[in-house]
Amino acid sequence: MMNYFDQNDERIKNDILVLSKMINENAEGYTRRPFTKWYAQSRKWLAEEMKKCGLDVQIDAASNLIGKLEGENKELLPIMIGSHTDTVTGGGRFDGIIGVVAGIEIARQLKEKNIKLEHSLLIVDFTAEEPSEFGISTIGSRGMVDNLTEEMLNRKDPEGLVLREGIKLAGGRPEDISREALKAGDVSLYLELHIEQGPVLEQTNNELGVVTGIVGIQRYQITVNGQPNHAGTTPMNMRFDALTGASKLVLAIEEIANKPYEEQVVGTVGRLFVEPNGSNVVPGRVVFDVELRSLNTNIVDHMVEQIKTEIKSIENSRQLSVSIDKLSQSDPIVVKEEVIKGIEAGCKGVGRTIYLPSGAGHDANQIAKIAPIGMIFVPSKDGKSHCPEEWTEYDQVAKGVKALGNALLYFDKRDNS
Ligand code: HGY
Ligand code: MN
Ligand code: MN
């Protein structure tokens, strides 16, 4: 595969630095949550960068930012390159961000080198990929493939913002999401560059990862109801303590996830609320989120059944009432052989490459519902992500961009030969 694209470390570094300043300065790390003024600021900058390299820019009904470059052959379906620029609270500067920057840098170089693609090219910044305060992740890419239900659109965040209003705030038209959604046969291929968010590339001294599959994620909300009471006058044997009951359940979930299964699994409780949350009050109610991940959906379903059994036993032994509600589910993805072949070709001659699955979920999980998907990983220092220490060398990111650009040309030529 000819190396048509340059490794432009400096421009990539500048893009990442500019975006790393558009953050909530009152929050930890590099925080840019969706539907905030910092998100609007970054969106505005991205749109300007897209326009500068000749992309026709629009916001779709689900509020995704999309830059389009018309292809030479109108018979061919567009190729899409995308990711997200929202972060988790206290997050880093690379997760998602490098995938959108990569798309823009590829568009810049196509223009500079006067390379004419046969396919039209769509560069997408998907809205709210990270788990949101609405209990849903990949909001924009869900919307793009009509996978946002009315119930989801009517959900409120803790401040009372309704998701459909948030989408409008970000420039979307919730009422048009279903009508304008993309279907199978609308997009030829989706490609995404992303940090690995794990230790494998670094530990094996590789520079590029050809992603072979992406885990499926199921998220649930568990509510433990007990009885608030005076912490000083309520004897230990007369308490219905929601927090100690929830703690037993959290540890049981860890135990369930630590069991041996034929496929790797993870189980996490990352968000927990105590009511009334007073130091001299026996907790009356605890609400927490559980997320379970694996490449094998049957194993996750089996874990959920084990959690439900634990819930029954804790209800009986502690006279509490516990409910479990499903928040969201994304299905696991296996990357198609012919896509892996093109990604291999793109990485050839760019950097040391290995094959690995993704333990993180991505917008690609949603776009896989309407098109073949492929992903390229670049290393994460110490395997860290979703924290301020998240780090990838700029030249490593630029190598990923070059590989992605080469892969794009491989697929563009493949479909037109
Ligand atoms: O949580 C994830 O897997 C991704 O980083 N949003
Ligand atoms: Mn991400
Ligand atoms: Mn993330």
Side-chain angles (χ1 to χ4, degrees), residues 84 86-88 95-96 129-131 194-195 197 219 293 360-362 385-386 390:
H84 63 97
D86 62 302
T87 73
V88 295
D95 171 3
E129 185 276 344
E130 298 293 358
H194 206 282
I195 54 172
Q197 301 181 288
R219 288 194 177 100
R293 304 186 184 206
H362 300 284
S385 181
H386 283 185
E390 183 181 274

Side-chain angles (χ1 to χ4, degrees), residues 400-417:
V401 175
K402 185 171 172 168
L404 185 70
N406 288 342
L408 169 66
L409 292 184
Y410 169 93
F411 290 110
D412 191 50
K413 287 188 178 9
R414 176 198 69 170
D415 297 351
N416 202 49
S417 43

Side-chain angles (χ1 to χ4, degrees), residues 216-218 220 253 266-267 290-294 300 303-304 307:
I217 305 176
Q218 292 186 25
Y220 295 84
I253 290 165
V266 287
V290 190
E291 67 151 57
L292 308 165
R293 304 186 184 206
S294 173
V300 177
M303 291 165 78
V304 175
I307 291 170

Side-chain angles (χ1 to χ4, degrees), residues 111-180:
K111 185 170 182 313
E112 286 162 357
K113 296 167 182 292
N114 197 23
I115 298 175
K116 297 277 179 236
L117 294 178
E118 294 301 323
H119 292 74
S120 293
L121 176 64
L122 300 170
I123 309 295
V124 185
D125 174 35
F126 289 106
T127 297
E129 185 276 344
E130 298 293 358
S132 65
E133 284 69 14
F134 302 98
I136 314 161
S137 61
T138 60
I139 288 176
S141 47
R142 280 177 183 275
M144 184 177 271
V145 299
D146 203 15
N147 193 19
L148 273 180
T149 61
E150 278 303 301
E151 182 274 325
M152 288 174 167
L153 285 168
N154 293 328
R155 286 190 195 174
K156 281 188 183 159
D157 73 3
E159 271 73 61
L161 175 69
V162 179
L163 176 53
R164 73 173 64 247
E165 293 310 314
I167 287 173
K168 275 189 203 156
L169 269 178
R173 290 163 284 107
E175 65 283 3
D176 296 334
I177 287 177
S178 283
R179 190 169 50 79
E180 294 183 10

Side-chain angles (χ1 to χ4, degrees), residues 312-354:
K312 284 211 174 30
S313 124
I314 283 167
E315 280 186 312
N316 297 336
S317 60
R318 291 170 173 263
Q319 290 166 283
L320 299 168
S321 82
V322 184
S323 62
I324 177 167
D325 300 298
K326 187 174 218 176
L327 290 175
S328 67
Q329 169 158 350
S330 67
D331 298 326
I333 306 295
V334 177
V335 180
K336 293 185 182 342
E337 256 323 296
E338 77 260 20
V339 175
I340 288 191
K341 197 159 163 266
I343 300 243
E344 272 170 352
C347 294
K348 207 168 167 53
V350 178
R352 294 181 305 282
T353 304
I354 54 160

